[in-house]
Each structure stands twice: as structure tokens, then as C-alpha cells.
Amino acid sequence: MRGSLKNVLVDKLEPEELSLLYKSYDVIGDIAVIRVLEPLNPRSGIIAEAIMQTHKRVKTVLRQASPILGDLRLRKLEWIRGERKTETFHKEFGCVFKVDLEKCYFSPRLSHERMRIAKLVKPNEVIVNMFAGVGCYSIVIAKHSEAKKIFSIDINPVAVQCIQENIEINKVRERVFPVEGDAKKIVEEKLRNVANRVLMPLPEKAYEYLDSAMLALKPTGGWISYYEFEHARKDENPVEKTKRKVFEKLQNFNVNFEIPFGRVVRTTGPNWYQVVIDIEIFPK
Ligand SMILES: C[S@@+](CC[C@H](N)C(=O)[O-])C[C@H]1O[C@@H](n2cnc3c(N)ncnc32)[C@H](O)[C@@H]1O
């Protein structure tokens, strides 16, 4: 959930300070994560207190102290106010996710995308989630579809520990299966030709790992949901750019395919977009 920081702080900061505020912040469970520009750092406490007064359920405010970095997609977090913790329980569409914000990736901003995918899933599908994080796509799918099995791979042992706990909390033990390791290796060794649907929610690696997604699909074909960060000028369409790139790569495989759906999931910076495309693969 996000709120407008500016509205909350209009009486507490100078107009020039207000102009430096980021427009929004994330609330994950009972923790708010704020971003603050360097000149406003000394005002972080005031900002945090205003958030805690407005959102009674917020018990902790953390400041994001680095961009999201590395393969594990982690960021440095600095405690500002409230309980000193980084672990919380976040609710989304009737599911509960335990997440340690310092040790695992989690974004509440992808909730609608997770539900969009869950609605596409047909009864008895086998799904391979190649970059599962704390298991949010997998658990939303398990709760809101009749998928048979959802293999949930992540290279981060702490994320896999969270998936395990989230499986128990959400009572989806019979259908969600956590697997720790590199998605490429896991697919090659254990999950070849098993899936009706493959999810690739790691834009930084999706292109490189597309071969593994193809290997995970059943020989009868299926769907791949492919995520990418795309740069696009005003006169360019980021979804079309992603489609073109993937189209070229898929020409190298002995399959037929269509890309009937694509959309911008969110804007990530000036002229940068997170894009998803759904690819349907058919045998030749
Ligand atoms: C952007 S997060 C997506 C998490 C989750 N799908 C979500 O929506 O919250 C990407 C995840 O991929 C994991 N990861 C990075 N490289 C990986 C690899 N080679 N194999 C498997 N998982 C990987 C990271 O640890 C991280 O949890």
C-alpha cells in the first residue's frame, strides 16, 4: 500500500524540503520503507513519525540506504523509528507472506501482476517459478487457482526458508514445492519437460535464462511469463521492444510461438519500464 507523503507532511516541513520528498513509500506488513534524498536525511525522523501517526498499523520505519543490488536483489535498510526489526508478515489477496526485508526481495507493488498470472492458470497446471523470492507468486497462484504443482526455485537460502514457512502459513503444502539453487542448474537436473507454465520474475536474468525456461516446458508446449527492464524513448514502445528481442531469440528454437499479451507493469525510472510478456509455445 502507498500513500502520499507530501499530504502527511505539509505542515511539518518547509516548502523547499517538501519539494525534495519522494511522492510515495511502501508499507509491507507493519513496516514502512521510505526513500529520502541526501539533503532531507536529517528530517528522516520527522517523516517517519508522520507516517506512524497516519498509519496506526505501521510499527517500524526503515530508510532505504542503497539501491536494490546483486543477484539476490537486496537493499541496505536503516532503522529510523519504532520497533527495531526487518521481519514482518504482509497480507495480499487472502495470502500471508513472512518476509525479512533485509535478507530477501519483496515488493508489494507487484501484487496485481501476481493476481493477473493466477487468473490465467488452468486446472491441473504444473508451474515452474524460476525466481520465487519468498514465494508470493506461487502462493497467490496456489490459493487462487487449481494448479497441481508449483515448483518454486530461489538461490537465496533465506528466501527459501521463508517460502517454506509461507507454505505452512497459507496451507498449500500439497502444491507448492520450494527448491534452493540456481534456476538454470535446477531445471537441467530436476525439472526438464515438466511445466505447462514457467514464470521468470527476475528481469535482470530473464533473457539469459530463457533457454532454461524452454527446457522446463513440457514437449507439448505451454506458457512463459517473461519479465524485462526496458529502456524506451518517448517515440518507442517498451513492450514492442521486449517482444522483438524475445522473438529473435526464440527463432533459434525448433518451436512455433506467439506473444499475444504484453504490458508495462510499472515505470522504474526516467524512460525505464518493467515489462511483462506472455509467450505461448507450440510444438512444431
Ligand atoms: C526480483 S526477485 C522476485 C521475487 C518474487 N518473484 C517476488 O515477486 O517477490 C528475484 C529473485 O530471484 C532470485 N535469484 C537470483 N538469481 C537466481 C538464480 N540464478 N536462480 C534462482 N533464483 C535466483 C533472488 O534471490 C530473488 O529472490
Side-chain angles (χ1 to χ4, degrees), residues 68 70-74 103-107 110 114 129-138 153-157 159 179 181-184 186 200-205 209 229 266 274:
I68 294 179
D71 276 356
L72 305 191
R73 311 310 298 143
L74 302 180
K103 298 187 186 130
C104 312
Y105 176 91
F106 179 78
S107 172
L110 297 172
R114 294 192 263 268
N129 181 356
M130 291 176 70
F131 309 109
V134 300
C136 2
Y137 274 86
S138 305
I153 309 170
D154 205 284
I155 204 167
N156 177 355
V179 193
D182 169 43
K184 194 175 280 196
I186 298 291
M200 308 189 74
L202 176 56
E204 294 81 359
K205 285 251 166 83
Y209 278 53
F229 288 133
R266 55 181 173 160
Q274 182 171 1

mmCIF file of all heavy atoms in Angstrom, residues 68 70-74 103-107 110 114 129-138 153-157 159 179 181-184 186 200-205 209 229 266 274, ligand 1:
data_model
loop_
_atom_site.group_PDB
_atom_site.id
_atom_site.type_symbol
_atom_site.label_atom_id
_atom_site.label_comp_id
_atom_site.label_asym_id
_atom_site.label_seq_id
_atom_site.Cartn_x
_atom_site.Cartn_y
_atom_site.Cartn_z
ATOM 1 N N ILE A 68 18.496 -1.464 -4.949
ATOM 2 C CA ILE A 68 18.393 -2.932 -4.901
ATOM 3 C C ILE A 68 19.553 -3.490 -5.717
ATOM 4 O O ILE A 68 19.734 -3.124 -6.875
ATOM 5 C CB ILE A 68 17.029 -3.385 -5.453
ATOM 6 C CG1 ILE A 68 15.935 -2.882 -4.497
ATOM 7 C CG2 ILE A 68 16.975 -4.897 -5.610
ATOM 8 C CD1 ILE A 68 14.532 -3.221 -4.888
ATOM 9 N N GLY A 70 22.692 -6.664 -6.688
ATOM 10 C CA GLY A 70 23.194 -8.042 -6.729
ATOM 11 C C GLY A 70 22.169 -9.064 -7.177
ATOM 12 O O GLY A 70 21.007 -8.746 -7.423
ATOM 13 N N ASP A 71 22.637 -10.329 -7.289
ATOM 14 C CA ASP A 71 21.766 -11.417 -7.741
ATOM 15 C C ASP A 71 20.579 -11.619 -6.814
ATOM 16 O O ASP A 71 19.493 -11.976 -7.246
ATOM 17 C CB ASP A 71 22.564 -12.729 -7.792
ATOM 18 C CG ASP A 71 23.315 -12.850 -9.100
ATOM 19 O OD1 ASP A 71 23.142 -11.965 -9.962
ATOM 20 O OD2 ASP A 71 24.083 -13.822 -9.252
ATOM 21 N N LEU A 72 20.797 -11.395 -5.519
ATOM 22 C CA LEU A 72 19.721 -11.658 -4.558
ATOM 23 C C LEU A 72 18.720 -10.506 -4.486
ATOM 24 O O LEU A 72 17.714 -10.592 -3.798
ATOM 25 C CB LEU A 72 20.281 -11.954 -3.160
ATOM 26 C CG LEU A 72 21.301 -13.092 -3.060
ATOM 27 C CD1 LEU A 72 21.557 -13.452 -1.596
ATOM 28 C CD2 LEU A 72 20.850 -14.337 -3.817
ATOM 29 N N ARG A 73 19.001 -9.414 -5.196
ATOM 30 C CA ARG A 73 18.105 -8.242 -5.262
ATOM 31 C C ARG A 73 17.835 -7.694 -3.859
ATOM 32 O O ARG A 73 16.681 -7.511 -3.459
ATOM 33 C CB ARG A 73 16.773 -8.575 -5.990
ATOM 34 C CG ARG A 73 16.893 -9.278 -7.318
ATOM 35 C CD ARG A 73 17.861 -8.614 -8.278
ATOM 36 N NE ARG A 73 17.482 -7.259 -8.660
ATOM 37 C CZ ARG A 73 18.344 -6.267 -8.849
ATOM 38 N NH1 ARG A 73 19.642 -6.453 -8.692
ATOM 39 N NH2 ARG A 73 17.933 -5.090 -9.192
ATOM 40 N N LEU A 74 18.902 -7.437 -3.100
ATOM 41 C CA LEU A 74 18.756 -6.928 -1.738
ATOM 42 C C LEU A 74 19.137 -5.454 -1.678
ATOM 43 O O LEU A 74 19.866 -4.951 -2.520
ATOM 44 C CB LEU A 74 19.639 -7.724 -0.774
ATOM 45 C CG LEU A 74 19.368 -9.231 -0.722
ATOM 46 C CD1 LEU A 74 20.305 -9.916 0.265
ATOM 47 C CD2 LEU A 74 17.920 -9.507 -0.354
ATOM 48 N N LYS A 103 16.945 -9.421 4.152
ATOM 49 C CA LYS A 103 17.611 -10.630 3.631
ATOM 50 C C LYS A 103 16.927 -11.235 2.418
ATOM 51 O O LYS A 103 17.428 -12.213 1.850
ATOM 52 C CB LYS A 103 17.690 -11.678 4.747
ATOM 53 C CG LYS A 103 18.519 -11.182 5.928
ATOM 54 C CD LYS A 103 18.731 -12.279 6.945
ATOM 55 C CE LYS A 103 19.440 -11.722 8.169
ATOM 56 N NZ LYS A 103 18.777 -12.090 9.389
ATOM 57 N N CYS A 104 15.739 -10.729 2.040
ATOM 58 C CA CYS A 104 15.011 -11.273 0.880
ATOM 59 C C CYS A 104 14.446 -10.120 0.068
ATOM 60 O O CYS A 104 14.158 -9.056 0.608
ATOM 61 C CB CYS A 104 13.794 -12.101 1.284
ATOM 62 S SG CYS A 104 14.082 -13.290 2.535
ATOM 63 N N TYR A 105 14.193 -10.401 -1.215
ATOM 64 C CA TYR A 105 13.492 -9.419 -2.057
ATOM 65 C C TYR A 105 11.996 -9.526 -1.798
ATOM 66 O O TYR A 105 11.446 -10.613 -1.735
ATOM 67 C CB TYR A 105 13.776 -9.691 -3.535
ATOM 68 C CG TYR A 105 12.992 -8.764 -4.437
ATOM 69 C CD1 TYR A 105 13.527 -7.554 -4.843
ATOM 70 C CD2 TYR A 105 11.704 -9.097 -4.836
ATOM 71 C CE1 TYR A 105 12.787 -6.691 -5.637
ATOM 72 C CE2 TYR A 105 10.968 -8.233 -5.634
ATOM 73 C CZ TYR A 105 11.519 -7.039 -6.029
ATOM 74 O OH TYR A 105 10.785 -6.187 -6.809
ATOM 75 N N PHE A 106 11.329 -8.387 -1.693
ATOM 76 C CA PHE A 106 9.865 -8.383 -1.698
ATOM 77 C C PHE A 106 9.379 -7.021 -2.177
ATOM 78 O O PHE A 106 9.879 -5.994 -1.740
ATOM 79 C CB PHE A 106 9.286 -8.647 -0.302
ATOM 80 C CG PHE A 106 7.780 -8.615 -0.316
ATOM 81 C CD1 PHE A 106 7.060 -9.702 -0.785
ATOM 82 C CD2 PHE A 106 7.095 -7.476 0.066
ATOM 83 C CE1 PHE A 106 5.672 -9.662 -0.862
ATOM 84 C CE2 PHE A 106 5.700 -7.427 -0.011
ATOM 85 C CZ PHE A 106 4.993 -8.523 -0.464
ATOM 86 N N SER A 107 8.390 -7.032 -3.081
ATOM 87 C CA SER A 107 7.778 -5.767 -3.484
ATOM 88 C C SER A 107 6.265 -5.891 -3.444
ATOM 89 O O SER A 107 5.688 -6.715 -4.152
ATOM 90 C CB SER A 107 8.216 -5.355 -4.885
ATOM 91 O OG SER A 107 7.443 -4.224 -5.274
ATOM 92 N N LEU A 110 3.958 -5.439 -6.874
ATOM 93 C CA LEU A 110 3.680 -6.432 -7.919
ATOM 94 C C LEU A 110 2.424 -7.245 -7.634
ATOM 95 O O LEU A 110 2.147 -8.227 -8.319
ATOM 96 C CB LEU A 110 4.892 -7.384 -8.057
ATOM 97 C CG LEU A 110 6.188 -6.717 -8.503
ATOM 98 C CD1 LEU A 110 7.359 -7.687 -8.420
ATOM 99 C CD2 LEU A 110 6.048 -6.192 -9.934
ATOM 100 N N ARG A 114 0.808 -10.414 -9.762
ATOM 101 C CA ARG A 114 0.729 -11.793 -9.245
ATOM 102 C C ARG A 114 -0.688 -12.337 -9.440
ATOM 103 O O ARG A 114 -0.875 -13.475 -9.860
ATOM 104 C CB ARG A 114 1.116 -11.817 -7.763
ATOM 105 C CG ARG A 114 2.579 -11.445 -7.551
ATOM 106 C CD ARG A 114 3.043 -11.744 -6.138
ATOM 107 N NE ARG A 114 3.016 -10.622 -5.234
ATOM 108 C CZ ARG A 114 4.035 -9.787 -4.997
ATOM 109 N NH1 ARG A 114 5.176 -9.943 -5.634
ATOM 110 N NH2 ARG A 114 3.933 -8.802 -4.116
ATOM 111 N N ASN A 129 8.264 -21.732 -11.123
ATOM 112 C CA ASN A 129 8.558 -20.333 -10.817
ATOM 113 C C ASN A 129 10.076 -20.264 -10.616
ATOM 114 O O ASN A 129 10.593 -20.723 -9.606
ATOM 115 C CB ASN A 129 7.782 -19.928 -9.559
ATOM 116 C CG ASN A 129 8.001 -18.467 -9.183
ATOM 117 O OD1 ASN A 129 8.788 -17.774 -9.819
ATOM 118 N ND2 ASN A 129 7.324 -18.023 -8.148
ATOM 119 N N MET A 130 10.791 -19.713 -11.613
ATOM 120 C CA MET A 130 12.264 -19.812 -11.615
ATOM 121 C C MET A 130 12.939 -18.899 -10.592
ATOM 122 O O MET A 130 14.070 -19.152 -10.191
ATOM 123 C CB MET A 130 12.805 -19.486 -13.019
ATOM 124 C CG MET A 130 12.467 -20.556 -14.042
ATOM 125 S SD MET A 130 13.008 -20.107 -15.706
ATOM 126 C CE MET A 130 14.787 -20.214 -15.564
ATOM 127 N N PHE A 131 12.247 -17.821 -10.208
ATOM 128 C CA PHE A 131 12.861 -16.828 -9.300
ATOM 129 C C PHE A 131 11.818 -16.460 -8.246
ATOM 130 O O PHE A 131 11.230 -15.375 -8.284
ATOM 131 C CB PHE A 131 13.305 -15.599 -10.102
ATOM 132 C CG PHE A 131 14.158 -15.932 -11.311
ATOM 133 C CD1 PHE A 131 13.664 -15.785 -12.596
ATOM 134 C CD2 PHE A 131 15.453 -16.413 -11.151
ATOM 135 C CE1 PHE A 131 14.438 -16.088 -13.711
ATOM 136 C CE2 PHE A 131 16.243 -16.728 -12.256
ATOM 137 C CZ PHE A 131 15.732 -16.562 -13.543
ATOM 138 N N ALA A 132 11.613 -17.356 -7.294
ATOM 139 C CA ALA A 132 10.383 -17.313 -6.489
ATOM 140 C C ALA A 132 10.421 -16.337 -5.325
ATOM 141 O O ALA A 132 9.374 -16.044 -4.743
ATOM 142 C CB ALA A 132 10.071 -18.713 -5.983
ATOM 143 N N GLY A 133 11.589 -15.847 -4.912
ATOM 144 C CA GLY A 133 11.650 -14.962 -3.735
ATOM 145 C C GLY A 133 11.081 -15.686 -2.522
ATOM 146 O O GLY A 133 11.382 -16.855 -2.273
ATOM 147 N N VAL A 134 10.203 -15.002 -1.765
ATOM 148 C CA VAL A 134 9.607 -15.635 -0.575
ATOM 149 C C VAL A 134 8.363 -16.442 -0.948
ATOM 150 O O VAL A 134 7.627 -16.895 -0.071
ATOM 151 C CB VAL A 134 9.272 -14.603 0.534
ATOM 152 C CG1 VAL A 134 10.523 -13.876 0.982
ATOM 153 C CG2 VAL A 134 8.204 -13.604 0.071
ATOM 154 N N GLY A 135 8.130 -16.591 -2.260
ATOM 155 C CA GLY A 135 7.064 -17.484 -2.728
ATOM 156 C C GLY A 135 5.756 -16.786 -3.031
ATOM 157 O O GLY A 135 4.716 -17.454 -3.137
ATOM 158 N N CYS A 136 5.781 -15.465 -3.213
ATOM 159 C CA CYS A 136 4.479 -14.779 -3.334
ATOM 160 C C CYS A 136 3.705 -15.157 -4.596
ATOM 161 O O CYS A 136 2.509 -15.429 -4.512
ATOM 162 C CB CYS A 136 4.580 -13.271 -3.223
ATOM 163 S SG CYS A 136 6.154 -12.575 -3.023
ATOM 164 N N TYR A 137 4.357 -15.184 -5.776
ATOM 165 C CA TYR A 137 3.609 -15.620 -6.969
ATOM 166 C C TYR A 137 3.043 -17.018 -6.738
ATOM 167 O O TYR A 137 1.879 -17.294 -7.010
ATOM 168 C CB TYR A 137 4.523 -15.686 -8.200
ATOM 169 C CG TYR A 137 4.702 -14.400 -8.980
ATOM 170 C CD1 TYR A 137 5.663 -13.473 -8.613
ATOM 171 C CD2 TYR A 137 3.938 -14.133 -10.108
ATOM 172 C CE1 TYR A 137 5.856 -12.309 -9.338
ATOM 173 C CE2 TYR A 137 4.121 -12.977 -10.849
ATOM 174 C CZ TYR A 137 5.086 -12.065 -10.458
ATOM 175 O OH TYR A 137 5.267 -10.918 -11.184
ATOM 176 N N SER A 138 3.884 -17.911 -6.228
ATOM 177 C CA SER A 138 3.494 -19.323 -6.091
ATOM 178 C C SER A 138 2.305 -19.462 -5.162
ATOM 179 O O SER A 138 1.372 -20.221 -5.433
ATOM 180 C CB SER A 138 4.671 -20.131 -5.535
ATOM 181 O OG SER A 138 5.804 -19.944 -6.354
ATOM 182 N N ILE A 153 11.662 -22.002 -7.210
ATOM 183 C CA ILE A 153 13.127 -22.025 -7.102
ATOM 184 C C ILE A 153 13.632 -20.662 -6.639
ATOM 185 O O ILE A 153 13.183 -19.621 -7.136
ATOM 186 C CB ILE A 153 13.770 -22.320 -8.489
ATOM 187 C CG1 ILE A 153 13.149 -23.567 -9.123
ATOM 188 C CG2 ILE A 153 15.279 -22.450 -8.366
ATOM 189 C CD1 ILE A 153 13.561 -23.761 -10.594
ATOM 190 N N ASP A 154 14.598 -20.661 -5.727
ATOM 191 C CA ASP A 154 15.331 -19.425 -5.429
ATOM 192 C C ASP A 154 16.740 -19.790 -4.968
ATOM 193 O O ASP A 154 16.949 -20.811 -4.320
ATOM 194 C CB ASP A 154 14.638 -18.556 -4.383
ATOM 195 C CG ASP A 154 15.039 -17.085 -4.543
ATOM 196 O OD1 ASP A 154 16.180 -16.731 -4.144
ATOM 197 O OD2 ASP A 154 14.242 -16.305 -5.099
ATOM 198 N N ILE A 155 17.681 -18.910 -5.308
ATOM 199 C CA ILE A 155 19.089 -19.151 -4.992
ATOM 200 C C ILE A 155 19.432 -18.669 -3.581
ATOM 201 O O ILE A 155 20.474 -19.035 -3.035
ATOM 202 C CB ILE A 155 19.979 -18.467 -6.068
ATOM 203 C CG1 ILE A 155 21.339 -19.132 -6.165
ATOM 204 C CG2 ILE A 155 20.087 -16.971 -5.831
ATOM 205 C CD1 ILE A 155 22.122 -18.724 -7.409
ATOM 206 N N ASN A 156 18.523 -17.859 -2.993
ATOM 207 C CA ASN A 156 18.787 -17.278 -1.673
ATOM 208 C C ASN A 156 18.209 -18.203 -0.578
ATOM 209 O O ASN A 156 16.993 -18.360 -0.484
ATOM 210 C CB ASN A 156 18.119 -15.887 -1.622
ATOM 211 C CG ASN A 156 18.269 -15.217 -0.266
ATOM 212 O OD1 ASN A 156 18.783 -15.800 0.684
ATOM 213 N ND2 ASN A 156 17.806 -13.976 -0.177
ATOM 214 N N PRO A 157 19.088 -18.808 0.252
ATOM 215 C CA PRO A 157 18.595 -19.761 1.260
ATOM 216 C C PRO A 157 17.593 -19.130 2.234
ATOM 217 O O PRO A 157 16.675 -19.813 2.695
ATOM 218 C CB PRO A 157 19.857 -20.204 2.010
ATOM 219 C CG PRO A 157 21.011 -19.608 1.309
ATOM 220 C CD PRO A 157 20.545 -18.629 0.277
ATOM 221 N N ALA A 159 15.419 -16.767 1.514
ATOM 222 C CA ALA A 159 14.140 -16.685 0.789
ATOM 223 C C ALA A 159 13.472 -18.056 0.778
ATOM 224 O O ALA A 159 12.261 -18.168 1.003
ATOM 225 C CB ALA A 159 14.369 -16.173 -0.634
ATOM 226 N N VAL A 179 12.506 -25.095 -3.902
ATOM 227 C CA VAL A 179 13.756 -25.716 -4.353
ATOM 228 C C VAL A 179 14.847 -24.653 -4.262
ATOM 229 O O VAL A 179 14.716 -23.582 -4.863
ATOM 230 C CB VAL A 179 13.683 -26.200 -5.828
ATOM 231 C CG1 VAL A 179 14.862 -27.117 -6.142
ATOM 232 C CG2 VAL A 179 12.359 -26.886 -6.152
ATOM 233 N N GLY A 181 18.494 -23.148 -5.101
ATOM 234 C CA GLY A 181 19.601 -23.280 -6.052
ATOM 235 C C GLY A 181 19.435 -22.353 -7.232
ATOM 236 O O GLY A 181 18.480 -21.576 -7.323
ATOM 237 N N ASP A 182 20.407 -22.466 -8.162
ATOM 238 C CA ASP A 182 20.383 -21.679 -9.381
ATOM 239 C C ASP A 182 19.340 -22.279 -10.333
ATOM 240 O O ASP A 182 19.383 -23.488 -10.622
ATOM 241 C CB ASP A 182 21.777 -21.703 -10.012
ATOM 242 C CG ASP A 182 21.773 -21.134 -11.405
ATOM 243 O OD1 ASP A 182 21.129 -20.093 -11.622
ATOM 244 O OD2 ASP A 182 22.400 -21.743 -12.304
ATOM 245 N N ALA A 183 18.422 -21.440 -10.828
ATOM 246 C CA ALA A 183 17.305 -21.935 -11.634
ATOM 247 C C ALA A 183 17.787 -22.746 -12.850
ATOM 248 O O ALA A 183 17.187 -23.762 -13.200
ATOM 249 C CB ALA A 183 16.443 -20.761 -12.075
ATOM 250 N N LYS A 184 18.882 -22.281 -13.455
ATOM 251 C CA LYS A 184 19.387 -22.973 -14.646
ATOM 252 C C LYS A 184 19.773 -24.413 -14.299
ATOM 253 O O LYS A 184 19.367 -25.370 -14.954
ATOM 254 C CB LYS A 184 20.623 -22.208 -15.164
ATOM 255 C CG LYS A 184 21.047 -22.580 -16.551
ATOM 256 C CD LYS A 184 22.188 -21.708 -17.036
ATOM 257 C CE LYS A 184 21.705 -20.354 -17.532
ATOM 258 N NZ LYS A 184 22.660 -19.608 -18.337
ATOM 259 N N ILE A 186 18.937 -26.170 -11.552
ATOM 260 C CA ILE A 186 17.800 -26.953 -11.031
ATOM 261 C C ILE A 186 16.949 -27.478 -12.179
ATOM 262 O O ILE A 186 16.547 -28.645 -12.193
ATOM 263 C CB ILE A 186 16.929 -26.090 -10.073
ATOM 264 C CG1 ILE A 186 17.731 -25.631 -8.851
ATOM 265 C CG2 ILE A 186 15.659 -26.828 -9.675
ATOM 266 C CD1 ILE A 186 18.109 -26.706 -7.884
ATOM 267 N N MET A 200 9.206 -16.112 -14.935
ATOM 268 C CA MET A 200 10.583 -15.607 -14.898
ATOM 269 C C MET A 200 10.627 -14.197 -14.292
ATOM 270 O O MET A 200 11.032 -13.236 -14.965
ATOM 271 C CB MET A 200 11.164 -15.577 -16.306
ATOM 272 C CG MET A 200 11.045 -16.871 -17.072
ATOM 273 S SD MET A 200 11.998 -16.792 -18.594
ATOM 274 C CE MET A 200 13.670 -16.923 -17.978
ATOM 275 N N PRO A 201 10.215 -14.047 -13.006
ATOM 276 C CA PRO A 201 10.127 -12.688 -12.457
ATOM 277 C C PRO A 201 11.459 -12.120 -11.951
ATOM 278 O O PRO A 201 11.534 -11.584 -10.854
ATOM 279 C CB PRO A 201 9.107 -12.855 -11.320
ATOM 280 C CG PRO A 201 9.260 -14.263 -10.889
ATOM 281 C CD PRO A 201 9.763 -15.055 -12.051
ATOM 282 N N LEU A 202 12.500 -12.239 -12.782
ATOM 283 C CA LEU A 202 13.786 -11.599 -12.471
ATOM 284 C C LEU A 202 14.273 -10.926 -13.750
ATOM 285 O O LEU A 202 14.994 -11.529 -14.552
ATOM 286 C CB LEU A 202 14.808 -12.630 -11.960
ATOM 287 C CG LEU A 202 16.221 -12.091 -11.689
ATOM 288 C CD1 LEU A 202 16.203 -10.931 -10.702
ATOM 289 C CD2 LEU A 202 17.128 -13.198 -11.183
ATOM 290 N N PRO A 203 13.878 -9.660 -13.967
ATOM 291 C CA PRO A 203 14.169 -9.002 -15.243
ATOM 292 C C PRO A 203 15.656 -9.006 -15.609
ATOM 293 O O PRO A 203 15.996 -9.093 -16.787
ATOM 294 C CB PRO A 203 13.659 -7.572 -15.020
ATOM 295 C CG PRO A 203 12.623 -7.690 -13.959
ATOM 296 C CD PRO A 203 13.093 -8.800 -13.066
ATOM 297 N N GLU A 204 16.526 -8.948 -14.607
ATOM 298 C CA GLU A 204 17.971 -8.885 -14.894
ATOM 299 C C GLU A 204 18.490 -10.183 -15.529
ATOM 300 O O GLU A 204 19.534 -10.180 -16.169
ATOM 301 C CB GLU A 204 18.783 -8.629 -13.620
ATOM 302 C CG GLU A 204 18.571 -7.278 -12.978
ATOM 303 C CD GLU A 204 17.318 -7.189 -12.123
ATOM 304 O OE1 GLU A 204 16.573 -8.188 -12.036
ATOM 305 O OE2 GLU A 204 17.070 -6.105 -11.575
ATOM 306 N N LYS A 205 17.817 -11.309 -15.308
ATOM 307 C CA LYS A 205 18.334 -12.607 -15.777
ATOM 308 C C LYS A 205 17.429 -13.289 -16.802
ATOM 309 O O LYS A 205 17.794 -14.338 -17.338
ATOM 310 C CB LYS A 205 18.480 -13.560 -14.568
ATOM 311 C CG LYS A 205 19.653 -13.279 -13.645
ATOM 312 C CD LYS A 205 20.734 -14.363 -13.802
ATOM 313 C CE LYS A 205 22.035 -13.966 -13.168
ATOM 314 N NZ LYS A 205 22.064 -14.237 -11.742
ATOM 315 N N TYR A 209 18.267 -16.613 -19.105
ATOM 316 C CA TYR A 209 17.706 -17.879 -18.615
ATOM 317 C C TYR A 209 16.532 -18.390 -19.462
ATOM 318 O O TYR A 209 15.889 -19.375 -19.106
ATOM 319 C CB TYR A 209 17.277 -17.721 -17.145
ATOM 320 C CG TYR A 209 18.424 -17.884 -16.167
ATOM 321 C CD1 TYR A 209 19.587 -17.133 -16.301
ATOM 322 C CD2 TYR A 209 18.362 -18.785 -15.114
ATOM 323 C CE1 TYR A 209 20.638 -17.270 -15.421
ATOM 324 C CE2 TYR A 209 19.414 -18.938 -14.223
ATOM 325 C CZ TYR A 209 20.553 -18.170 -14.385
ATOM 326 O OH TYR A 209 21.594 -18.316 -13.500
ATOM 327 N N PHE A 229 13.459 -5.382 -17.827
ATOM 328 C CA PHE A 229 13.548 -3.926 -17.693
ATOM 329 C C PHE A 229 13.905 -3.380 -19.068
ATOM 330 O O PHE A 229 14.911 -3.784 -19.650
ATOM 331 C CB PHE A 229 14.629 -3.519 -16.690
ATOM 332 C CG PHE A 229 14.257 -3.806 -15.259
ATOM 333 C CD1 PHE A 229 15.158 -4.428 -14.410
ATOM 334 C CD2 PHE A 229 13.015 -3.452 -14.763
ATOM 335 C CE1 PHE A 229 14.821 -4.698 -13.090
ATOM 336 C CE2 PHE A 229 12.664 -3.721 -13.441
ATOM 337 C CZ PHE A 229 13.570 -4.341 -12.612
ATOM 338 N N ARG A 266 5.245 -1.515 -14.451
ATOM 339 C CA ARG A 266 5.457 -0.257 -13.726
ATOM 340 C C ARG A 266 6.615 0.506 -14.363
ATOM 341 O O ARG A 266 7.448 -0.083 -15.064
ATOM 342 C CB ARG A 266 5.755 -0.504 -12.242
ATOM 343 C CG ARG A 266 6.919 -1.427 -12.021
ATOM 344 C CD ARG A 266 7.178 -1.672 -10.551
ATOM 345 N NE ARG A 266 8.202 -2.695 -10.394
ATOM 346 C CZ ARG A 266 8.909 -2.874 -9.298
ATOM 347 N NH1 ARG A 266 8.728 -2.116 -8.247
ATOM 348 N NH2 ARG A 266 9.822 -3.832 -9.233
ATOM 349 N N GLN A 274 9.370 -1.658 -16.328
ATOM 350 C CA GLN A 274 9.330 -3.106 -16.143
ATOM 351 C C GLN A 274 8.195 -3.620 -17.014
ATOM 352 O O GLN A 274 7.047 -3.180 -16.906
ATOM 353 C CB GLN A 274 9.090 -3.490 -14.686
ATOM 354 C CG GLN A 274 9.091 -5.002 -14.512
ATOM 355 C CD GLN A 274 9.079 -5.440 -13.051
ATOM 356 O OE1 GLN A 274 9.059 -4.632 -12.135
ATOM 357 N NE2 GLN A 274 9.094 -6.732 -12.845
HETATM 358 C C1 LIG B 1 13.068 -9.816 -8.286
HETATM 359 S S1 LIG B 1 13.077 -11.151 -7.133
HETATM 360 C C2 LIG B 1 11.474 -11.850 -7.464
HETATM 361 C C3 LIG B 1 10.912 -12.456 -6.272
HETATM 362 C C4 LIG B 1 9.440 -12.846 -6.329
HETATM 363 N N1 LIG B 1 9.073 -13.471 -7.557
HETATM 364 C C5 LIG B 1 8.542 -11.696 -5.981
HETATM 365 O O1 LIG B 1 7.726 -11.284 -6.789
HETATM 366 O O2 LIG B 1 8.650 -11.182 -4.865
HETATM 367 C C6 LIG B 1 14.175 -12.270 -7.875
HETATM 368 C C7 LIG B 1 14.548 -13.471 -7.020
HETATM 369 O O3 LIG B 1 15.401 -14.297 -7.819
HETATM 370 C C8 LIG B 1 16.393 -14.871 -7.000
HETATM 371 N N2 LIG B 1 17.506 -15.288 -7.864
HETATM 372 C C9 LIG B 1 18.520 -14.524 -8.364
HETATM 373 N N3 LIG B 1 19.306 -15.261 -9.183
HETATM 374 C C10 LIG B 1 18.770 -16.500 -9.206
HETATM 375 C C11 LIG B 1 19.116 -17.705 -9.887
HETATM 376 N N4 LIG B 1 20.181 -17.760 -10.680
HETATM 377 N N5 LIG B 1 18.346 -18.796 -9.689
HETATM 378 C C12 LIG B 1 17.263 -18.753 -8.868
HETATM 379 N N6 LIG B 1 16.899 -17.647 -8.191
HETATM 380 C C13 LIG B 1 17.619 -16.524 -8.378
HETATM 381 C C14 LIG B 1 16.723 -13.816 -5.968
HETATM 382 O O4 LIG B 1 17.255 -14.384 -4.795
HETATM 383 C C15 LIG B 1 15.335 -13.139 -5.768
HETATM 384 O O5 LIG B 1 14.672 -13.694 -4.656
#
